[in-house]
Amino acid sequence: MEYIFIVIGAIFVNNIVLSQFLGICPFLGVSKKISTAAGMTGAVTFVMVIATMVTYIIQKTVLEKFGIGFMQTITFILIIAALVQLVEIILKKVSPALYQALGVFLPLITTNCAILGVAIMTIQKNYNLMQGVVFSFATAIGFGVALILFAGLREHLDMMNVPKGMKGVPIALVVAGLLAMAFMGFSGLV
């Protein structure tokens, strides 16, 4: 039952993008097409889950054991950067079209504060490794839900007659705010 609460909380109640405002750069940058948003979701999910596992193990076996917890942030950033390079190499070989579509946003996963935030929150919430993996996977799914919903809305907006002063980023930010307010309806669920 505890895992169900973690999943529902991470996807809907405490959505990483719409509630905690982490990962806004890819949220706004990769949300013009649903296919690109889905690809980014897959890449972020892979990196977030693997990064959480690796950073948890490093935190418990190295940083805490040797009393160098103050090195947590820099260590986690280096681990995430290495994992993103791995994802980039895999995507380049497996799906060149998706690699091209993600463009500059793929290396930006390295500095995606959502991934670093989840790794740190896993430690702060005193989750064990399994809870951390479930939390990171659910958070990535929540990120993906928000990103794909937003991409769908933006695709629909491209077909609408939007006033000239609101075209592009202004209307996207208004829609993002409305989406965040819609997700507020889930507060109190868990």
Side-chain angles (χ1 to χ4, degrees):
M1 195 67 166
E2 181 180 349
Y3 292 108
I4 293 171
F5 289 142
I6 291 172
V7 169
I8 292 171
I11 294 173
F12 299 110
V13 180
N14 298 314
N15 186 285
I16 197 82
V17 177
L18 301 174
S19 176
Q20 299 178 16
F21 308 112
L22 295 174
I24 297 293
C25 179
F27 180 71
L28 292 174
V30 188
S31 61
K32 292 181 181 163
K33 290 173 55 180
I34 292 175
S35 59
T36 310
M40 179 59 100
T41 298
V44 166
T45 301
F46 177 77
V47 172
M48 194 175 282
V49 170
I50 300 298
T52 299
M53 289 189 313
V54 173
T55 55
Y56 181 88
I57 292 167
I58 296 295
Q59 176 75 26
K60 296 299 180 185
T61 60
V62 177
L63 299 179
E64 287 180 7
K65 184 176 182 182
F66 294 109
I68 52 173
F70 61 90
M71 297 287 291
Q72 180 187 56
T73 303
I74 192 71
T75 304
F76 286 12
I77 289 171
L78 291 173
I79 290 168
I80 292 166
L83 289 170
V84 169
Q85 290 300 311
L86 178 67
V87 168
E88 198 168 354
I89 291 167
I90 291 170
L91 272 182
K92 197 172 190 177
K93 290 189 186 280
V94 173
S95 179
L98 180 58
Y99 177 79
Q100 281 300 117
L102 291 175
V104 71
F105 294 103
L106 188 58
L108 285 178
I109 293 175
T110 304
T111 57
N112 186 342
C113 54
I115 294 172
L116 178 61
V118 168
I120 291 173
M121 281 189 270
T122 299
I123 303 300
Q124 288 176 342
K125 293 179 183 231
N126 290 321
Y127 284 153
N128 61 36
L129 183 58
M130 187 63 187
Q131 290 170 326
V133 168
V134 169
F135 174 68
S136 65
F137 182 75
T139 301
I141 296 303
F143 175 84
V145 166
L147 186 62
I148 292 169
L149 278 172
F150 190 54
L153 291 169
R154 286 187 76 177
E155 281 185 3
H156 188 71
L157 279 173
D158 287 343
M159 296 182 286
M160 302 297 293
N161 188 12
V162 178
K164 185 179 178 185
M166 291 296 289
K167 284 190 185 281
V169 176
I171 194 68
L173 291 174
V174 169
V175 171
L178 292 172
L179 194 57
M181 285 175 42
F183 270 67
M184 283 177 56
F186 293 115
S187 62
L189 190 63
V190 177

